């Protein structure tokens, strides 16, 4: 009798822990890189968002700045656990920075957001 009660209690505990899993980020990153094609050089900013297994939708918005002034932006939003966006600007002398806003959704519509810089 004790064995039956204990195994039933264990099963309920396991189901409860699955039901309360939390939405969260696996990674959220922003990168900047100089690239060249023939004689042209570009500064690129890449934003990547990846949610955990509870994520059903992901979005990333990336902006690139030169000497603190906004240059351009890109956005990617898709169903699934990840999204990534890239923006390219003509390279010239100056200091380049980038910022990404990351957002993920779970099946119930709950969201989480974060910001990264690169």
């Amino acid at each position: 009798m004790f064995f039956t009660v204990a195994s039933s209690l264990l099963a309920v505990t396991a189901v409860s822990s699955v039901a309360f899993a939390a939405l969260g980020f696996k990674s959220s990153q922003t990168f900047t890189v100089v690239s060249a094609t023939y004689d042209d050089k570009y500064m690129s900013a890449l934003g990547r968002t990846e949610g955990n297994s509870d994520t059903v939708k992901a979005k990333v918005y990336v902006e690139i700045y030169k000497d603190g002034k906004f240059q351009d932006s890109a956005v990617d939003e898709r169903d699934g656990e990840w999204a990534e966006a890239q923006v390219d600007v003509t390279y010239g002398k100056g200091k380049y920075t980038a910022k990404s806003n990351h957002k993920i959704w779970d099946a119930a519509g709950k969201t989480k957001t974060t910001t990264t810089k690169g």
Side-chain angles (χ1 to χ4, degrees), residues 86-102:
Q86 179 175 329
V87 61
D88 305 311
V89 295
T90 302
Y91 181 78
K93 287 187 179 183
K95 181 181 179 185
Y96 290 85
T97 57
K99 177 178 83 169
S100 296
N101 296 318
H102 310 269

Side-chain angles (χ1 to χ4, degrees), residues 35-93:
S35 59
T37 57
Y38 302 105
D39 293 332
D40 298 324
K41 284 188 176 180
Y42 298 94
M43 177 58 79
S44 300
L46 173 69
R48 179 162 169 76
T49 298
E50 185 175 2
N52 65 12
S53 61
D54 291 335
T55 304
V56 298
K57 187 176 181 181
K59 179 179 181 178
V60 62
Y61 172 78
V62 62
E63 298 176 335
I64 191 165
Y65 298 83
K66 179 181 177 184
D67 297 324
K69 295 181 182 175
F70 175 81
Q71 299 295 302
D72 205 354
S73 65
V75 65
D76 182 34
E77 182 175 329
R78 63 178 73 193
D79 293 336
E81 294 180 10
W82 66 275
E84 80 181 15
Q86 179 175 329
V87 61
D88 305 311
V89 295
T90 302
Y91 181 78
K93 287 187 179 183

